[in-house]
Amino acid sequence: MAVDEKINTMRHSCAHIMAEAVLHLYPKAKIAIGPAIENGFYYDFDFGDEKISDSDLVAIEKEMRKILSTPHEFKRREVSKEEALEIFKDQPYKIELINDLPENETISTYEQDGFLDLCRGPHVSTSKEINAQSFKLTKLAGAYWRGDSNRQMLTRIYALAFQNPNDLKDYLKMLEEAEKRDHRKLGTELDLFHLDAEDPGQIFWHPNGWAMYIKLQDYIRNKIKNDGYVEVNTPAIMPRTLWERSGHWGHYQKNMFITESEKRLFAIKPMNCPGALEIFNSRQRSYKDLPLRMAEFGHCVRNEPSGTLHGIMRVRGFVQDDAHIICTEEQIESEVAQFCRLLVDVYKDFGFDKNLIVKLSTMPEDHVGDEATWAEAEKALGNACHSAGMDYEIQEGEGAFYGPKLEFTLVDALEREWQCGTIQLDYQLPSEERLNAQYIGSDNQKHHPVMLHRAVLGSLERFMGILIEHFAGNMPVWLHFEQAAVVPVAQDFNDYAEEIASNLRAQGFAANAYTNSDNMKSKIKMLTSEHKVPYILVVGQREQDEKSVCVRFRPSSGKAQTTMTVSDFTKYITEKCRSKDLEI
């Protein structure tokens, strides 16, 4: 049994132990389902009129450990549908599951310590394989039965579970650190943005946060300009007829915000791709025009369920560093390889290039197009990836219905994985059946191009949230909203402080002089904790006389303060920003 399969089997078995413990404490409860999930498991219960809270989890944990104190076998038994219905006659959610099983489906139960559950399995052989100190119940949540908001709201109990107690302790430490780094918490402390409950999934960027957002956008804009992209912009609202031709109306309508004007339906765009092909189709194209790399920082809006929203990581309104490469089949491999090199170059500037995970998603069951074309497309993506010096894992059957794709996952400071970059190969959208994009080939005949959908950062909003948590708010110098703060030791040196800040701003740096009446120590404390400024420049009589500054580095750098001439500091910060150095 593979390691992942083994630990998931243990987690699912632990879910059964939890269900048993719950029924010991709450005999009237009704049980639903309890799968293993990443890092643990959950189980859904209907407690009826009884109410439980997070404080009750301690008692349930205690009962679970009591059950585990005596070893019990997990016994599997196959039963008929009639027998299963009789066994679970007092458990309505199990009855529904049984009745919904296909004809001739094998029905099995698992029993341990007198607790019987409907389950396909597998399970551990004996409860001795579950370490009583390696799990922890974490929280309660509401969950509609079968995900249907018209059905009963159940109580979901979440738990963490690992092979041994040390793994659990390490994960809990990571969660503790993640809480400190939470981008929502730091977003408030650094005055970057706020979220309004009356306008879910939309971000209100404050000056500090917007300054960094613009820097990030300008950074990627310069990168792609140097890589041969042209930038375009398409309407925020486009007609239903276009979305029908692209196929999005049939496949994605539930996630669109729809509006009406003059008896016509329009959708606020959830993605930019149809607009890119509209630009391509606006005039006759030749093979000499290809590849055409069109980038768009288009604002997209998706009607995501409010329960799935999370800070600026999962929102309704967002901007992608989106681009669509329209090319010939012969150009696919070279274009994908070039994109892969661009992506690595970008990730390197954030320190994400060392543990990059690449996955090639192959043909799904519900694909369109013939298998031979798919095989060629998958081969081209794989070869391009290797040409760019990267290895990849295969994700069988995880491609989009229109073509295979490469997904790029970065690993942050807490070793969490974030899938950000992607490049998708699309034969369908440019086809005659969809948006009918055409170019005149070297044979003077009309041909349909291929479309590559690609993003490096993905959503700029989400990537900004990842950066905030990765750097714990201590953003790289080039990206920070305030790169240098000048603090006079006394008000007699306010003019000198203003002069330094003004000169730095004139050279393009974000710098401010703090000349109010607060004492120097309180200013430094505020700039260190609330602004996390990379460089605090303290100035007094000596600095004024010598045209220098006393540089206090951000505490997390571990660097001792030093004195530099103004000229030397300017050269220093210039090089740090030019090289995108992550060390200050």
Side-chain angles (χ1 to χ4, degrees):
M1 185 182 293
V3 174
D4 287 348
E5 186 180 352
K6 182 178 180 180
I7 194 168
N8 282 336
T9 298
M10 181 276 290
R11 285 167 174 160
H12 182 45
S13 302
C14 204
H16 279 225
I17 299 294
M18 181 170 73
E20 179 187 351
V22 166
L23 290 181
H24 285 181
L25 299 173
Y26 305 92
K28 295 181 181 179
K30 305 301 179 185
I31 57 177
I33 57 172
I37 56 174
E38 185 178 12
N39 300 312
F41 60 89
Y42 69 77
Y43 210 114
D44 290 343
F45 301 93
D46 184 346
F47 287 95
D49 295 332
E50 291 186 89
K51 303 295 182 184
I52 73 166
S53 65
D54 286 336
S55 61
D56 296 309
L57 297 183
V58 176
I60 298 172
E61 263 190 35
K62 184 178 179 181
E63 185 65 21
M64 289 175 68
R65 293 193 172 97
K66 181 180 176 183
I67 293 168
L68 289 170
S69 65
T70 304
H72 302 284
E73 288 184 42
F74 279 80
K75 300 174 183 176
R76 183 178 186 273
R77 187 165 74 93
E78 293 183 7
V79 296
S80 66
K81 183 174 181 178
E82 293 72 20
E83 190 176 0
L85 291 171
E86 175 62 26
I87 291 170
F88 295 102
K89 62 184 178 182
D90 296 325
Q91 292 292 342
Y93 301 104
K94 299 296 183 183
I95 293 293
E96 182 176 329
L97 292 174
I98 294 165
N99 283 326
D100 286 349
L101 290 173
E103 288 295 326
N104 302 319
E105 175 88 359
T106 299
I107 302 175
S108 60
T109 64
Y110 277 84
E111 182 179 0
Q112 94 279 346
D113 190 33
F115 171 74
L116 190 66
D117 204 349
L118 178 75
C119 189
R120 288 191 179 95
H123 284 279
V124 295
S125 300
T126 169
S127 60
K128 287 191 294 185
E129 297 176 48
I130 302 172
N131 189 309
Q133 303 304 319
S134 65
F135 66 84
K136 180 177 178 59
L137 308 193
T138 55
K139 63 179 180 179
L140 302 177
Y144 290 111
W145 171 233
R146 291 189 146 180
D148 185 345
S149 59
N150 295 314
R151 304 293 300 275
Q152 178 70 26
M153 173 69 80
L154 305 178
T155 299
R156 178 168 294 177
I157 302 180
Y158 281 100
L160 297 171
F162 294 88
Q163 289 283 52
N164 60 70
N166 286 335
D167 290 343
L168 175 63
K169 288 177 183 176
D170 290 343
Y171 189 77
L172 290 172
K173 285 180 183 177
M174 186 280 289
L175 289 181
E176 185 179 346
E177 181 61 27
E179 187 175 350
K180 295 176 187 175
R181 293 170 178 250
D182 191 312
H183 71 279
R184 295 164 298 182
K185 174 176 175 287
L186 291 171
T188 299
E189 292 176 3
L190 296 171
D191 195 21
L192 304 180
F193 59 83
H194 82 270
L195 304 163
D196 190 338
E198 293 296 311
D199 194 9
Q202 305 291 345
I203 305 168
F204 292 79
W205 288 103
H206 298 190
N208 292 347
W210 191 242
M212 294 199 298
Y213 189 99
I214 292 299
K215 286 182 181 182
L216 182 63
Q217 190 176 61
D218 286 346
Y219 161 79
I220 199 69
R221 175 176 280 122
N222 289 332
K223 283 285 189 182
I224 61 175
K225 182 179 179 181
N226 292 333
D227 209 46
Y229 288 78
V230 292
E231 189 172 337
V232 301
N233 189 263
T234 60
I237 298 176
M238 292 189 278
R240 169 180 177 169
T241 51
L242 176 61
W243 297 111
E244 284 179 332
R245 286 190 292 127
S246 72
H248 291 98
W249 193 265
H251 288 89
Y252 207 77
Q253 184 185 347
K254 68 178 192 251
N255 291 104
M256 292 181 174
F257 284 97
I258 310 297
T259 186
E260 184 178 351
S261 176
E262 298 178 342
K263 298 182 180 180
R264 294 178 65 204
L265 287 180
F266 296 80
I268 304 174
K269 65 177 179 182
M271 65 276 295
N272 300 306
C273 26
L277 277 179
E278 285 290 279
I279 292 175
F280 183 85
N281 288 339
S282 65
R283 66 180 181 86
Q284 184 170 288
R285 305 283 179 175
S286 161
Y287 72 96
K288 296 177 182 178
D289 298 322
L290 306 181
L292 177 58
R293 307 181 189 103
M294 288 188 286
E296 179 174 11
F297 294 98
H299 191 271
C300 297
V301 181
R302 296 179 183 175
N303 190 13
E304 303 282 2
S306 59
T308 67
L309 303 177
H310 177 67
I312 65 174
M313 300 282 210
R314 182 78 179 266
V315 292
R316 288 178 173 168
F318 61 93
V319 173
Q320 288 181 310
D321 63 323
D322 208 0
H324 298 90
I325 302 170
I326 301 175
C327 62
T328 68
E329 284 193 73
E330 295 75 21
Q331 293 168 334
I332 291 173
E333 192 168 323
S334 61
E335 285 301 305
V336 172
Q338 182 171 331
F339 167 75
C340 289
R341 287 189 287 269
L342 168 68
L343 179 138
V344 171
D345 187 46
V346 169
Y347 283 6
K348 185 177 180 181
D349 285 340
F350 299 98
F352 292 137
D353 57 315
K354 297 294 187 289
N355 298 313
L356 189 61
I357 301 167
V358 187
K359 297 179 181 179
L360 171 57
S361 298
T362 60
M363 185 179 71
E365 287 187 14
D366 62 342
H367 67 279
V368 293
D370 62 87
E371 293 189 13
T373 301
W374 271 86
E376 285 299 314
E378 290 168 8
K379 181 181 177 182
L381 289 185
N383 288 344
C385 200
H386 285 146
S387 296
M390 292 187 287
D391 294 322
Y392 58 85
E393 305 171 13
I394 295 289
Q395 288 193 127
E396 292 286 354
E398 293 296 317
F401 72 92
Y402 52 77
K405 59 183 176 179
L406 288 172
E407 294 181 341
F408 303 86
T409 299
L410 54 86
V411 181
D412 73 5
L414 298 182
E415 297 187 356
R416 297 174 300 181
E417 296 180 1
W418 304 93
Q419 192 270 306
C420 294
T422 183
I423 186 162
Q424 303 174 356
L425 179 53
D426 186 359
Y427 283 92
Q428 303 307 312
L429 205 58
S431 70
E432 184 176 359
E433 294 75 22
R434 293 300 181 188
L435 297 185
N436 196 27
Q438 297 179 347
Y439 69 93
I440 305 300
S442 58
D443 58 359
N444 211 32
Q445 300 298 310
K446 289 182 178 180
H447 302 271
H448 293 291
V450 176
M451 191 176 197
L452 297 170
H453 308 248
R454 109 297 171 272
V456 178
L457 307 181
S459 156
L460 268 67
E461 288 74 8
R462 180 169 176 264
F463 197 79
M464 184 66 77
I466 292 170
L467 291 179
I468 291 168
E469 296 195 359
H470 175 65
F471 292 112
N474 296 303
M475 308 302 278
V477 179
W478 68 271
L479 188 58
H480 204 282
F481 61 84
E482 187 172 21
Q483 295 160 319
V486 191
V487 178
V489 298
Q491 291 193 321
D492 290 345
F493 308 103
N494 282 358
D495 289 346
Y496 181 56
E498 292 284 7
E499 178 188 334
I500 293 170
S502 179
N503 287 339
L504 287 169
R505 286 195 297 270
Q507 295 177 73
F509 298 107
N512 294 299
Y514 288 80
T515 57
N516 58 40
S517 58
D518 292 346
N519 65 59
M520 183 184 73
K521 286 185 178 180
S522 63
K523 291 176 186 177
I524 290 174
K525 182 179 179 181
M526 180 272 295
L527 291 166
T528 300
S529 61
E530 296 180 22
H531 289 203
K532 299 186 185 292
V533 179
Y535 309 112
I536 298 176
L537 311 180
V538 179
V539 295
Q541 187 65 57
R542 177 186 171 189
E543 286 77 23
Q544 181 172 280
D545 292 343
E546 296 177 354
K547 296 297 180 184
S548 65
V549 290
C550 179
V551 184
R552 296 175 64 108
F553 298 92
R554 184 187 282 152
S556 59
S557 72
K559 290 185 177 181
Q561 69 181 40
T562 187
T563 298
M564 297 183 189
T565 65
V566 174
S567 175
D568 284 346
F569 175 74
T570 303
K571 291 176 183 176
Y572 182 85
I573 191 174
T574 298
E575 178 56 25
K576 288 291 181 182
C577 291
R578 185 204 64 78
S579 65
K580 303 295 183 291
D581 194 340
L582 298 178
E583 300 293 330
I584 66 169

